[in-house]
Amino acid sequence: MEIDNIIKNRKTEKVFSREPWSSNLDRDQQNVLVDELLDLARREPDLVQPVEVLPLVDAELANQRLRAGDVKGRVVLDIVGGRA
């Protein structure tokens, strides 16, 4: 099933779930969706944004850079440490 059909035929649910996919999709549909998303990411590299990880102590700096438009992609604050 193509991604357009999956989206068109899906039922909207407002629930929180630990599963990354809607319970309306079976395993084959999930695999097709993942394959199509990965193909799209390969064809359109601008869809995948860079991620910059900063330590929590740099939160103010991150906020200043975001407000100044000095961030390309995403900034993630590491609250545990050791991942920056």
Side-chain angles (χ1 to χ4, degrees):
M1 184 179 285
E2 294 180 357
I3 193 168
D4 294 335
N5 290 333
I6 293 172
I7 292 171
K8 186 186 341 174
N9 295 324
R10 75 180 170 93
K11 297 177 186 173
T12 302
E13 293 180 12
K14 293 185 178 182
V15 296
F16 291 100
S17 172
R18 292 178 183 229
E19 297 177 33
W21 306 107
S22 167
S23 59
N24 295 330
L25 301 179
D26 64 29
R27 180 65 68 193
D28 290 336
Q29 290 172 318
Q30 292 173 10
N31 288 337
V32 168
L33 183 58
V34 168
D35 290 342
E36 289 187 11
L37 289 172
L38 291 173
D39 288 341
L40 178 62
R42 281 190 282 274
R43 288 192 318 268
E44 302 290 338
D46 290 338
L47 291 177
V48 179
Q49 295 293 312
V51 177
E52 183 178 352
V53 179
L54 296 175
L56 185 58
V57 295
D58 290 341
E60 182 59 33
L61 173 65
N63 188 36
Q64 291 170 358
R65 289 183 52 212
L66 285 167
R67 290 178 182 268
D70 187 34
V71 174
K72 180 176 177 167
R74 301 165 194 240
V75 172
V76 176
L77 295 176
D78 179 5
I79 62 172
V80 176
R83 296 184 213 157

